[in-house]
Amino acid sequence: MFQQLKLRWESSTTRSKTFLLGGVVAIFLLFCSLTYWAIRDDYQVLFSNMEPQDAAQMVAELDKQKIPYRLANDATTILVDKDVVHKTRLKLMGKGMTLKGNVGFELFNNTDYGTTEFAQKVNFQRALQGELSRTISAMDEIKSARIHLVLPESGLLRRQGSKAKASVSLLMKGDAQLSAEQIAGIQRLVAAAVPEMDSGAVTILDQRGVALTPLNGTDSAAASTSGKLEVKKEIESYLTRKVVGLLDKALGPGKALVSIDVTLNYDQIKITTEDVFPEGGGVILRRKQSQQSQQSQQGSSLRLGNVTDPKNHSTDRPIPDRSSPSSSMVDVEYQNSRRVEQIVGDPGNVKRISVGLLLPGGVSKGQVVQIKEVVEMAVGLNSSRGDAIAVHSVDQIMSAPSVAVERTDNAPMVDKNVPKKVMHPDAGYTVIWLLALFMVCLLIAGGVIATSRLRKSKKKGSLSPTERERALQKIMEWADSELSEIRTVDSR
């Protein structure tokens, strides 16, 4: 059998031998791969994207528990066998192993009763910072976060006006960026977790040290200017989008140009009006009525009168003398009512709006007027406020007459029908550059010609003795041939 294989091998062509060897090698490699895949250990991710200090802590605990592991991705990922990956993760989390290098409220799991009050405050601040860092790091765009809190002292020795502050440092994932809403959300999150903290007291930085939060008025004088400019841009953008959307549907996309300028009034106006109601319209505080009567020296003068009672019985009763003079006085004290009205104008009101529209060609004057009216209503222009709008079409601008130039007395008369040749301001510079380029080309051509001649002259240098002999021999042969031809002609 071996002889038959040997004979067949020897009788086979080179191509057949090559295919046979290739097949044997392929089968061997496939067998080795299957064997390695069957006997190898399947390691899966235990933790990934870890900080160096967290990875060191996890590796130390795995070594302590004698659990085999592997490191990957520059020691930021820990791999363990797939059969124990979940069990190992639960064990590590159950022992209070922290991630992201932050310590949370698990710091108080093992309370030491001998800890001082100052140490308890520091631990509480560390735990609060760690919990906030974990919450912020859970966002998709953020890789890690560090928070520093400045908490005011509590108690009798607390300084007046001291407020809590916070600074947040973020490490973003790749080129990820946070939107304005996300930044405001982080500020509100930190302010809600810390007592007596305003969202404006939270400063957020990225890994490049760029402040993501807007400046407060107390931090810089440019903060108010920046805020005013942002408000102006937002209003102008809103009105521009509104008008552009209207014109795109009426005339076609991108056929009209719109420019809107908004002037805002940031003066804070406070108007106080006080009205006092007239007398009698208020509330009575005190009422005093006094009456005086003048009597004779004998006392009160009385006289007897015949008075008839209801039963027709007549009796004599004393009747006061009404003829004596008397006076009465009524003193009434009112609290006059008054009305105080205060009107405070918020800064940032619209002072004036200016709109400029450039319409495409082919728009009639009637359409221009109609578009102007529609835009005025859409933007909300108020003529009493000083708002203005200018609407023109391309045809009106192209057909507009040129501005006439006033001629002085000494200026010569120029025929308007003769077309004027107006030279472009850059024409003189263009001619100069062309002349300079031509001169440079001449210099380059002259240099090339001179160089070629020098090379030819070098090649035509003195001949060696052997070359001279050969040249002389050729000249002699040529001369002999010429002489022989001449002699032949003469003999004829």
Side-chain angles (χ1 to χ4, degrees), residues 391-444:
V391 183
H392 298 285
S393 64
V394 177
D395 298 336
Q396 294 176 355
I397 295 177
M398 298 302 294
S399 62
S402 59
V403 180
V405 180
E406 184 180 358
R407 185 181 64 85
T408 59
D409 295 338
N410 297 328
M413 296 295 295
V414 180
D415 190 1
K416 297 181 179 179
N417 297 325
V418 177
K420 297 181 180 180
K421 295 183 179 179
V422 180
M423 186 175 181
H424 195 272
D426 297 334
Y429 296 102
T430 305
V431 173
I432 295 174
W433 279 108
L434 290 175
L435 291 176
L437 182 61
F438 180 71
M439 295 298 296
V440 171
C441 293
L442 287 180
L443 292 175
I444 294 174

Side-chain angles (χ1 to χ4, degrees), residues 70-145:
R70 293 178 183 175
L71 299 178
N73 299 331
D74 297 333
T76 59
T77 303
I78 300 178
L79 306 174
V80 296
D81 190 81
K82 68 174 184 178
D83 297 331
V84 296
V85 58
H86 300 293
K87 183 179 179 180
T88 305
R89 186 180 294 122
L90 293 176
K91 283 184 178 180
L92 295 176
M93 292 295 98
K95 290 193 173 183
M97 304 295 293
T98 60
L99 297 177
K100 299 294 183 183
N102 299 318
V103 179
F105 284 110
E106 66 272 5
L107 187 62
F108 295 97
N109 291 340
N110 299 322
T111 306
D112 187 4
Y113 293 100
T115 307
T116 61
E117 183 180 359
F118 177 76
Q120 289 288 351
K121 290 182 180 179
V122 173
N123 290 336
F124 174 77
Q125 183 171 344
R126 288 180 57 197
L128 185 58
Q129 293 175 167
E131 293 293 339
L132 289 173
S133 299
R134 292 177 183 177
T135 305
I136 296 174
S137 300
M139 300 178 65
D140 296 335
E141 296 83 1
I142 299 175
K143 184 178 181 181
S144 62

Side-chain angles (χ1 to χ4, degrees), residues 153-318:
E153 293 290 338
S154 59
L156 298 176
L157 300 179
R158 179 179 179 179
R159 294 182 180 179
Q160 295 293 333
S162 59
K163 296 182 179 180
K165 298 180 181 180
S167 59
V168 181
S169 177
L170 303 178
L171 179 60
M172 311 303 296
K173 293 180 181 178
D175 296 333
Q177 294 182 354
L178 296 177
S179 61
E181 292 78 7
Q182 290 175 318
I183 295 173
I186 294 175
Q187 286 183 299
R188 295 180 63 182
L189 172 67
V190 177
V194 180
E196 299 181 3
M197 178 181 288
D198 299 331
S199 59
V202 181
T203 303
I204 303 176
L205 304 177
D206 60 2
Q207 65 270 24
R208 297 170 296 176
V210 179
L212 304 180
T213 52
L215 294 175
N216 295 326
T218 56
D219 294 338
S220 175
S224 58
T225 304
S226 178
K228 295 176 183 178
L229 184 60
E230 291 295 330
V231 174
K232 176 181 172 66
K233 289 182 179 179
E234 290 179 2
I235 298 176
E236 292 177 350
S237 300
Y238 168 73
L239 295 177
T240 302
R241 289 194 304 269
K242 194 174 182 181
V243 176
V244 168
L246 184 65
L247 296 179
D248 287 346
K249 293 181 179 179
L251 304 176
K255 291 187 177 181
L257 300 179
V258 181
S259 177
I260 298 179
D261 181 78
V262 178
T263 303
L264 301 178
N265 184 11
Y266 286 96
D267 297 336
Q268 188 173 5
I269 301 174
K270 184 177 181 180
I271 301 175
T272 303
T273 304
E274 183 175 353
D275 296 333
V276 180
F277 293 140
E279 183 179 356
V283 180
I284 298 177
L285 293 180
R286 184 172 59 86
R287 182 183 181 92
K288 180 180 179 181
Q289 183 177 4
S290 58
Q291 186 175 1
Q292 297 178 354
S293 60
Q294 296 180 359
Q295 300 177 354
S296 60
Q297 295 179 357
Q298 291 83 7
S300 300
S301 60
L302 299 175
R303 64 183 178 86
L304 298 176
N306 190 3
V307 180
T308 304
D309 58 2
K311 295 183 180 180
N312 297 325
H313 293 288
S314 169
T315 57
D316 292 335
R317 295 181 180 176

